[in-house]
Amino acid sequence: MQSMISIKTIFATFLLFLFHLTSNAQESFKKLPQAAKISCPILLIDEHIIANKNIITSKEDIEEIGVIKEKPSRKAHFYNLTANGILFAKLKKKIPFKTQTQLNAFFNLEENNPVYVNGYLLEHDTYTIATESIATIDLVMPNEENDLDQKVINVWILSQEERKNGCSLQQME
């Protein structure tokens, strides 16, 4: 019970920070139209694994944790992931993941085809996605609404509930 309180406290602080971060948004993010409704932060593990918050099951999992304090410039390699904030974590446990190349190969796409997470473009190929955090994967076809030049993969690490209602402290219990 005490470890959940600590995790709740960390996420509560982070969510308060997000209101400040998103209110200062100046540059546009590269995203799909369905990302407009999303208000959940990205969890970035060991600087390259994108995961859902549910991957942290207890405070014993956490070696280090931090948040972005200032909105980064577009030059920051994680800029496009900051639309709803980023929680950085180093975990004591190993997290299985898939590379963007592996995901593209599964869908018979070119290995360097663009990949999106929760509707936001991964601008660098160094990012991987925690396999246990993948809720669904959509193959998105180009159309007038999304203004894509080619079909792309959009990996959802959020549940349907989180996509619809955003992330709240109640969902983090």
Side-chain angles (χ1 to χ4, degrees), residues 67-84:
V67 297
I68 296 175
K69 292 184 180 180
E70 300 290 328
K71 182 165 178 59
S73 73
R74 174 141 306 272
K75 294 177 185 175
H77 72 280
F78 50 80
Y79 173 81
N80 209 51
L81 299 176
T82 66
N84 296 302

Side-chain angles (χ1 to χ4, degrees), residues 49-104:
I49 304 171
I50 297 170
N52 187 297
K53 67 190 176 323
N54 297 333
I55 209 143
I56 300 174
T57 54
S58 74
K59 71 178 183 179
E60 285 76 30
D61 291 346
I62 303 169
E63 190 173 306
E64 290 180 38
I65 198 161
V67 297
I68 296 175
K69 292 184 180 180
E70 300 290 328
K71 182 165 178 59
S73 73
R74 174 141 306 272
K75 294 177 185 175
H77 72 280
F78 50 80
Y79 173 81
N80 209 51
L81 299 176
T82 66
N84 296 302
I86 298 180
L87 178 63
F88 294 96
K90 284 194 178 203
L91 301 183
K92 295 175 185 173
K93 62 183 183 177
K94 294 289 182 195
I95 305 298
F97 59 83
K98 294 287 183 192
T99 67
Q100 294 175 56
T101 299
Q102 290 170 320
L103 292 169
N104 279 323

Side-chain angles (χ1 to χ4, degrees), residues 3-123:
S3 66
M4 287 306 271
I5 292 170
S6 298
I7 291 172
K8 281 187 204 177
T9 303
I10 291 168
F11 281 116
T13 303
F14 182 62
L15 287 175
L16 288 174
F17 164 74
L18 289 181
F19 287 115
H20 172 73
L21 178 69
T22 56
S23 66
N24 292 327
Q26 295 171 354
E27 297 184 56
S28 63
F29 295 98
K30 295 179 182 177
K31 62 184 180 179
L32 297 171
Q34 56 266 54
K37 299 175 187 173
I38 306 300
S39 63
C40 300
I42 289 284
L43 172 59
L44 196 56
I45 299 169
D46 299 332
E47 299 182 18
H48 71 93
I49 304 171
I50 297 170
N52 187 297
K53 67 190 176 323
N54 297 333
I55 209 143
I56 300 174
T57 54
S58 74
K59 71 178 183 179
E60 285 76 30
D61 291 346
I62 303 169
E63 190 173 306
E64 290 180 38
I65 198 161
V67 297
I68 296 175
K69 292 184 180 180
E70 300 290 328
K71 182 165 178 59
S73 73
R74 174 141 306 272
K75 294 177 185 175
H77 72 280
F78 50 80
Y79 173 81
N80 209 51
L81 299 176
T82 66
N84 296 302
I86 298 180
L87 178 63
F88 294 96
K90 284 194 178 203
L91 301 183
K92 295 175 185 173
K93 62 183 183 177
K94 294 289 182 195
I95 305 298
F97 59 83
K98 294 287 183 192
T99 67
Q100 294 175 56
T101 299
Q102 290 170 320
L103 292 169
N104 279 323
F106 182 80
F107 286 94
N108 294 319
L109 300 172
E110 296 291 324
E111 70 178 48
N112 61 352
N113 200 65
V115 174
Y116 290 72
V117 171
N118 297 339
Y120 288 88
L121 177 64
L122 298 181
E123 294 182 319

Side-chain angles (χ1 to χ4, degrees), residues 156-169:
W156 289 104
I157 61 171
L158 299 173
S159 67
Q160 288 286 350
E161 180 71 21
E162 290 168 319
R163 290 182 228 171
K164 182 180 175 184
N165 298 320
C167 296
S168 68
L169 289 178

